[in-house]
Amino acid sequence: MEFLVKSTAIGKQQTPCVVVGIHETRRLTPAAQQLDKVSRGYLTTILKRGDIKGKSGETLMLHNVPWTQCERVLLVGCGKKKELDAAAFGKIVAQAATALDKAGVKEAYCYLPELAPDGHDLPWAVRRTVETAADALYRFNQLKTRDKQNARLRRMIFDLDDPDQQRDARRAIREGKAIAKGRALAKDLANLPGNHCTPTHLAEQAKGLAEHHPALTVKVLDEKKMEALNMGALLAVARGSRQPARLIVLEYQGGGKGDKPCVLVGKGITFDSGGISIKPSPAMDEMKYDMCGAASVLGALCAVAEMRLPLNVVGIIPSCENLPDGNAVKPGDIVTSMSGQTIEILNTDAEGRLILCDALTYSEQFDPDTVIDIATLTGACVIALGKHYSGLLGNDEQLIGDILAAGEASGDVAWQLPLGKDYQQQLKSNFADMANIGGREGGTITAACFLSRFTEKLTWAHLDIAGTAWLGGHKKGATGRPVPLLVQYLIDRCNKQERQE
Ligand code: BES
Ligand code: MN
Ligand code: ZN
């Protein structure tokens, strides 16, 4: 989708549609007021008739509004002005984009950014509009041969006169488009089923990104190289699969050579059957989404490269399938991780932590500033936080605070859970340094406790995205989260650096 800034006169644009907001109850927003003037009170008449009250989520399409040059006017309910916060703003934009698309409108002038909620400015509203409209119109049609129902809305235009505002808006559009692109990439990869999206496919995608962006370089380690590095935990998970495992390393250099990088580590299980500890059949197809952490790392790096952020970022993706087989790892098997610590695998379905622990140890060689791992790690996280907040744990309160703030700012929220010492006992093993499971109680926390044993030298945080990375039911599909959070975190880091200089 295309987003443009122009300076025009409202109502005088020869365009398929103009979009303006209506507050509850029947209150015209500034753009609506102007359009009402141009149309000599037509909007006021419509509002008086009661066709639209202005409730958040309402839309009303008007055709041939008198004295205007546009084909249609879309009125969008924006709710009460004082209740319009960032989340409500996003919902309104999504509803507007959906209504435009449903009507088959190809191009629209959108005045919603003038309604930036308190504490937010125009560039914020433009960026959020771009991100939200693009996301609302996302479709996954790659594998359909008919009934594709592609999005029809192609172009959105923001009408701004002031040159400074125009400049800021164009920058906001660039940012919004970069984030939307990264998010769409994450969704595409996640929605692809396991027979298409293999570890090798993820590696090819990473190579494709690196070809496209000169600041990105990629290295792909095969199983031989992992053996040489003693990645016994990762390789144990990969044993049951015919698909070879991959460790993908993507380096983005936007900062100085000596600048310590932010490292993102993404779980890339391209299908999780549970292995020998096999999962029950219902909804097992959703375990194709067990690579959403990996997808979010690729999506974030894509956005960062598009935006040319001035910092260094490393993406590390351990990737394999978790399947049962005569050669598969078995409950009770004991493996040695790259760190040298031994692990008793009591449940082969707790495989995410096994591939992550070796990837986290591997990350030490980059002398990272911070390390964030992203993983669809535990069903317990879905029970604890539902589908709204990602779980967040880590060993550094400053880093946790920064991630929580980036979540709030981007609307892609996370919630901290305690990484209490007492939980560590649940990982005791009679035969190895630790077990890979800690029992039913506090499952998200014991999983993070496991990872914490491999991050003692690192400033580290863990995002459990089991609840937030995809939706089930009739809305089944990847959400592209937490790409917005990760990109916001990296943007914030750049701004912080700038302030310190
Ligand atoms: N990929 C799953 C986590 C998951 C489950 C995400 C359901 C979303 C929905 C992970 O590999 C897993 O199977 N975890 C186990 C851990 C348990 C065996 C300790 C779980 O959560 O049941
Ligand atoms: Mn599993
Ligand atoms: Zn898994």
Side-chain angles (χ1 to χ4, degrees):
M1 205 173 147
E2 196 185 3
F3 296 90
L4 300 170
V5 175
K6 285 189 186 172
S7 169
T8 62
I10 191 164
K12 298 299 168 203
Q13 304 112 336
Q14 291 186 355
T15 181
C17 195
V18 171
V19 183
V20 297
I22 304 293
H23 280 302
E24 202 174 340
T25 316
R26 298 198 280 268
R27 277 184 217 288
L28 301 170
T29 56
Q33 271 172 26
Q34 287 176 5
L35 203 56
D36 190 48
K37 233 188 199 162
V38 173
S39 65
R40 306 189 186 175
Y42 186 76
L43 297 196
T44 307
T45 312
I46 296 286
L47 291 183
K48 273 194 189 140
R49 283 184 193 158
D51 289 35
I52 182 167
K53 280 206 182 72
K55 276 204 171 130
S56 182
E58 276 184 305
T59 56
L60 180 66
M61 191 69 91
L62 307 175
H63 290 258
N64 306 327
V65 173
W67 310 102
T68 66
Q69 305 282 309
C70 51
E71 292 170 14
R72 311 172 184 79
V73 169
L74 178 66
L75 302 182
V76 184
C78 297
K80 297 207 172 79
K81 199 172 169 191
K82 61 172 190 291
E83 286 170 12
L84 188 74
D85 58 10
F89 180 82
K91 275 189 195 134
I92 288 159
V93 171
Q95 244 123 16
T98 306
L100 289 168
D101 189 57
K102 262 200 185 138
V105 171
K106 290 203 175 68
E107 172 193 289
Y109 280 76
C110 180
Y111 287 88
L112 296 176
E114 69 174 5
L115 307 175
D118 281 348
H120 299 283
D121 54 11
L122 178 80
W124 177 92
V126 169
R127 183 183 129 186
R128 186 58 65 89
T129 300
V130 171
E131 279 180 54
T132 313
D135 193 56
L137 299 180
Y138 170 88
R139 303 280 185 281
F140 186 73
N141 285 330
Q142 288 176 36
L143 302 178
K144 288 189 179 172
T145 64
R146 48 193 142 82
D147 302 331
K148 287 201 179 212
Q149 294 176 336
N150 286 318
R152 291 181 287 186
L153 183 63
R154 311 279 343 149
R155 187 179 307 132
M156 188 174 272
I157 305 165
F158 304 112
D159 177 13
L160 298 167
D161 303 328
D162 181 69
D164 287 345
Q165 282 193 346
Q166 287 192 342
R167 190 202 52 223
D168 291 350
R170 289 203 174 97
R171 189 194 155 105
I173 288 173
R174 273 201 302 278
E175 285 184 2
K177 276 177 76 170
I179 295 165
K181 190 170 177 181
R183 187 170 189 173
L185 172 65
K187 284 180 158 191
D188 277 346
L189 289 172
N191 284 327
L192 269 186
N195 63 328
H196 288 258
C197 185
T198 58
T200 309
H201 181 78
L202 286 178
E204 293 303 321
Q205 290 290 311
K207 286 178 190 163
L209 275 180
E211 261 164 43
H212 196 72
H213 296 283
L216 277 174
T217 50
V218 66
K219 193 162 71 182
V220 178
L221 278 62
D222 61 13
E223 293 187 3
K224 256 208 183 112
K225 295 220 176 80
M226 294 181 222
E227 257 159 50
L229 290 166
N230 299 316
M231 295 187 159
L234 202 175
L235 287 166
V237 179
R239 287 180 68 106
S241 165
R242 309 281 166 104
Q243 291 289 340
R246 293 286 180 259
L247 185 80
I248 305 162
V249 185
L250 250 185
E251 285 186 68
Y252 170 78
Q253 199 175 67
K257 264 225 148 67
D259 295 355
K260 292 184 174 193
C262 293
V263 177
L264 305 177
V265 179
K267 173 179 174 183
I269 295 288
T270 56
F271 188 76
D272 180 14
S273 71
I276 297 296
S277 315
I278 199 160
K279 289 180 180 293
S281 305
M284 204 209 268
D285 66 291
E286 292 186 18
M287 283 300 120
K288 72 173 183 179
Y289 289 119
D290 213 16
M291 37 58 71
C292 281
S296 74
V297 171
L298 291 174
L301 276 158
C302 169
V304 163
E306 291 277 328
M307 289 162 69
R308 298 171 198 235
L309 283 187
L311 84 173
N312 297 334
V313 186
V314 180
I316 301 178
I317 295 171
S319 181
C320 65
E321 292 181 326
N322 185 23
L323 291 176
D325 175 82
N327 196 40
V329 70
K330 306 172 293 298
D333 284 0
I334 294 176
V335 299
T336 305
S337 66
M338 184 181 177
S339 73
Q341 300 179 89
T342 57
I343 304 162
E344 184 184 16
I345 300 178
L346 289 174
N347 188 321
T348 65
D349 198 10
E351 84 297 340
R353 60 199 79 180
L354 294 173
I355 67 168
L356 287 169
C357 72
D358 280 345
L360 286 165
T361 302
Y362 183 83
S363 79
E364 285 175 11
Q365 66 183 272
F366 295 96
D367 188 20
D369 186 25
T370 59
V371 178
I372 305 173
D373 80 74
I374 307 105
T376 47
L377 204 62
T378 62
C381 193
V382 194
I383 304 304
L385 297 175
K387 300 226 142 251
H388 307 291
Y389 286 79
S390 300
L392 175 62
L393 306 97
N395 63 13
D396 186 89
E397 287 307 313
Q398 168 81 43
L399 174 59
I400 297 271
D402 289 349
I403 296 172
L404 289 173
E408 290 296 331
S410 63
D412 183 2
V413 285
W415 197 267
Q416 186 181 8
L417 298 172
L419 190 66
K421 276 206 184 76
D422 292 341
Y423 295 92
Q424 294 281 359
Q425 292 157 14
Q426 289 175 237
L427 294 172
K428 270 198 180 139
S429 159
N430 286 351
F431 308 109
D433 296 341
M434 70 193 90
N436 78 325
I437 53 170
R440 274 169 50 79
E441 294 168 7
T444 304
I445 297 170
T446 53
C449 282
F450 180 93
L451 297 177
S452 75
R453 295 171 177 219
F454 301 85
T455 58
E456 279 173 352
K457 296 179 195 151
L458 304 167
T459 302
W460 158 79
H462 158 65
L463 277 164
D464 193 328
I465 58 167
T468 52
W470 78 89
L471 300 173
H474 71 285
K475 280 191 173 169
K476 194 191 282 182
T479 60
R481 291 178 65 182
V483 169
L485 178 155
L486 294 173
V487 177
Q488 188 63 50
Y489 168 76
L490 295 169
I491 291 174
D492 292 347
R493 286 213 66 87
C494 294
N495 293 337
K496 210 183 208 171
Q497 255 173 38
E498 219 171 78
R499 274 200 303 280
Q500 279 168 1
E501 276 158 17

